[in-house]
Amino acid sequence: MALTVAIILALFAPWPWNLIAVLTGLGIETVELTWGLRLARRWRPQTGAEAMIGEVAQVVAPCHPIGQVRIRGELWEARCTEGADVGQSVRIERLEGLTLVVAIAARKA
């Protein structure tokens, strides 16, 4: 947008100012693009199964190794190789089909 405005301004400006306007618009666009790309890399998905990775869930059916966990009010089938009992907190590591692969969450000291 800044480059478009700069080009339009350059059409009506005298010689040195039109070049300065275009270069300034180009600089602003470069800064905007760099900032936008950095921001986009930092954001995590907010919806879908991928958004659950890294979150903590509660075990509602013993996972030895297959059981069920509750996260965000939903029941999911889960697999925990270490084994987890009802009421334990587990961290979601990845998703394999419709089964969550979980590990026992680290306890707070």
Side-chain angles (χ1 to χ4, degrees):
M1 184 71 178
L3 185 58
T4 304
V5 171
I7 290 172
I8 292 170
L9 287 175
L11 294 174
F12 302 106
W15 156 239
W17 295 107
N18 59 4
L19 180 63
I20 292 171
V22 170
L23 291 177
T24 302
L26 194 60
I28 291 171
E29 284 294 322
T30 303
V31 169
E32 275 183 33
L33 182 63
T34 304
W35 175 71
L37 288 175
R38 283 188 183 183
L39 204 62
R41 281 190 210 116
R42 206 174 355 177
W43 285 345
R44 290 183 54 202
Q46 298 297 317
T47 59
E50 294 81 17
M52 292 189 295
I53 295 173
E55 290 195 23
V56 176
Q58 296 297 318
V59 178
V60 294
C63 293
H64 296 285
I66 302 292
Q68 284 187 332
V69 297
R70 181 180 305 276
I71 181 167
R72 299 183 191 160
E74 298 177 344
L75 286 176
W76 285 80
E77 186 172 305
R79 185 175 70 234
C80 182
T81 56
E82 302 140 354
D85 293 320
V86 175
Q88 278 189 297
S89 296
V90 291
R91 183 165 310 280
I92 299 169
E93 294 182 337
R94 66 183 183 276
L95 185 70
E96 291 179 354
L98 291 176
T99 302
L100 300 174
V101 177
V102 298
I104 296 175
R107 295 191 178 166
K108 295 180 181 176

